[in-house]
Amino acid sequence: MCAVLLAAALTACGGHDSDSAGTHRPATVAGEQQRSAPLPVPRGKGSRLPSDFNGDGAPDLVLDDLAHDGLGDDPGIGVVYGRKHHGLVAGTRLLLTPAKYAARVKGQAPATFASEASCDLDRDGYADLVVSTDPPYDGQGMPPVPLQILFGSPTGISGKGVTLKIPARARFGNEWPDQPVCGDFDGDGRNDLVVHASGGRLSVLPGPFTRAGAPRGTARIAQASGNVPTGPAADLDGDGTDDVLVRAHAGTARSAVALGGPGGFTKGATYPAGTDAVFGRFGAAVLGEAGLKLYAPGGRATRTVRVTGDRLAAADLNGDGRDELAVSDAASDGVHLIGLIGPGEPRRAPAKGHVIAVADYDGDGRDDLVLQHTTGTTGATDTVTVLTGNRAATLVSDTPQLTFSTAEFSN
């Protein structure tokens, strides 16, 4: 199981099994391709991948921070579609703007659009995207639900979003109901959502969901050790139900695991405060001022790796069935890779940026890293780099499989 920073791209498995970085020919998008129109989205027949919006068996990439010189503060969300056994195709892209894709609330179109989570919520074989918006609110009482669902289809995301329905019995307090995380938390084989509530509680919305955005199961409030669920979910204890990491609040905060089960969540291991944390079958990792602290599945601290950074992701980069960790450092714009087996000394990734997604995009059984390097104080330009996983000690290829700029979404 891998973790992602954005929640929008998880691990896929497939049949390409080349080990050499040289077999991945860099596909750099520059001048001529940036000026071209988007390519048609391949038509799919459905899959079980959590970020495959067109169901063709290849994970897709969601991008929130688009190069936006001259496009306003929020140019929208970018989607780059993948091709099975090939990887991401930068020219096969879609720009999701609130004006075109968001549902209107009280007659108003949202001004902002940000991706939050992706999974197949309605069980039709096509991943759906949960996004956050800014609905009208006068500051009195319980705020409206800011989350909307954009449904996938054989041609990818299409049509207007619908507002997520959270029944009154599943809401608590007057904080914004956001921070959704997908997972099968009750073990019935259907994707559910957990959403931030108030007072150390979560809103639990059992799937599948209707096309009107409502949960079909009995929605409820669950007690947790914090307000901020953090994705992606993972089956930490191997009982067949997904668990979720819950942070006490945003920023540097304590975290704890809420263990899923048919009867609801129960309390799992707790972890000290850190700037970021991830968990999985390997246990957990907490990133803080003292470095990266590693924990066994039961919560026992095992060791500390001296590395600095502010964002953390887990991925099976070498395909051995065990996760490695990627630490992004905004100060240096570098990424360190750390194996959890052996000495685990940090290795610097051969590209700058911060990790924005993790998935097996080329279908070779090894996760790949997507990095984004932004230049300019206004985010005017950027470079997105895809580094493929590798069985060598470097963990990723020296040569990018793909580089492009999100500026092409303005075309």
Side-chain angles (χ1 to χ4, degrees):
M1 179 69 185
C2 69
V4 299
L5 302 178
L6 184 59
L10 301 181
T11 302
C13 298
H16 181 57
D17 60 1
S18 172
D19 292 334
S20 171
T23 62
H24 295 287
R25 183 178 179 182
T28 301
V29 176
E32 182 176 351
Q33 188 162 351
Q34 287 186 0
R35 292 192 295 269
S36 65
L39 300 173
V41 176
R43 189 176 183 88
K45 297 181 179 179
S47 80
R48 295 185 177 182
L49 302 182
S51 60
D52 183 5
F53 303 113
N54 60 330
D56 67 344
D60 306 317
L61 172 67
V62 178
L63 296 153
D64 264 306
D65 297 321
L66 305 182
H68 56 272
D69 188 25
L71 297 177
D73 292 335
D74 189 355
I77 302 168
V79 178
V80 176
Y81 289 92
R83 192 169 74 225
K84 194 171 183 179
H85 303 318
H86 171 82
L88 296 169
V89 180
T92 309
R93 63 186 187 270
L94 174 67
L95 178 62
L96 303 171
T97 61
K100 183 175 181 180
Y101 286 91
R104 299 179 72 89
V105 179
K106 294 184 178 181
Q108 297 184 31
T112 63
F113 231 19
S115 68
E116 298 287 350
S118 66
C119 61
D120 183 5
L121 291 171
D122 58 352
R123 296 196 79 196
D124 65 350
Y126 305 95
D128 311 307
L129 182 65
V130 184
V131 301
S132 60
T133 64
D134 58 343
Y137 177 51
D138 62 6
Q140 303 297 314
M142 191 172 282
V145 177
L147 302 174
Q148 297 189 11
I149 303 173
L150 300 175
F151 289 99
S153 74
T155 56
I157 293 174
S158 61
K160 291 276 188 179
V162 299
T163 299
L164 177 68
K165 308 297 191 298
I166 304 180
R169 64 177 175 272
R171 292 199 63 178
F172 183 87
N174 291 335
E175 296 185 34
W176 288 92
D178 53 13
Q179 307 292 327
V181 175
C182 289
D184 179 11
F185 302 111
D186 53 14
D188 67 353
R190 301 173 175 88
N191 282 316
D192 315 310
L193 285 177
V194 293
V195 177
H196 164 91
S198 303
R201 291 170 172 83
L202 301 175
S203 296
V204 183
L205 310 175
F209 287 72
T210 69
R211 296 290 292 213
R216 287 195 175 99
T218 302
R220 63 190 186 280
I221 282 288
Q223 192 72 41
S225 299
N227 288 336
V228 186
T230 304
D235 182 6
L236 180 65
D237 54 4
D239 68 348
T241 61
D242 283 330
D243 314 311
V244 63
L245 189 70
V246 184
R247 308 192 77 207
H249 50 77
T252 301
R254 301 184 309 276
S255 56
V257 175
L259 298 169
F265 285 113
T266 57
K267 187 176 180 179
T270 61
Y271 305 103
T275 56
D276 201 3
V278 296
F279 82 123
R281 295 298 293 272
F282 67 90
V286 177
L287 186 61
E289 293 182 359
L292 183 65
K293 293 186 177 181
L294 305 178
Y295 297 84
R300 176 180 57 87
T302 57
R303 61 190 172 98
T304 299
V305 179
R306 293 190 177 278
V307 63
T308 59
D310 47 25
R311 302 179 72 178
L312 184 60
D316 181 9
L317 299 172
N318 59 9
D320 66 353
R322 296 184 291 261
D323 282 333
E324 290 77 44
L325 299 175
V327 179
S328 300
D329 187 353
S332 66
D333 210 17
V335 176
H336 283 96
L337 307 177
I338 302 164
L340 298 179
I341 304 299
E345 293 301 318
R347 298 176 180 273
R348 198 172 184 88
K352 285 189 174 183
H354 58 276
V355 180
I356 58 172
V358 176
D360 179 11
Y361 291 104
D362 57 5
D364 65 356
R366 300 184 292 275
D367 287 335
D368 311 314
L369 295 181
V370 182
L371 312 183
Q372 185 176 30
H373 172 59
T374 301
T375 56
T377 56
T378 62
T381 60
D382 71 348
T383 302
V384 176
T385 303
V386 181
L387 298 174
T388 56
N390 197 301
R391 288 197 177 100
T394 57
L395 297 176
V396 295
S397 60
D398 292 329
T399 304
Q401 187 266 340
L402 175 69
T403 61
F404 65 95
S405 171
T406 64
E408 64 179 307
F409 281 95
S410 64
N411 296 325

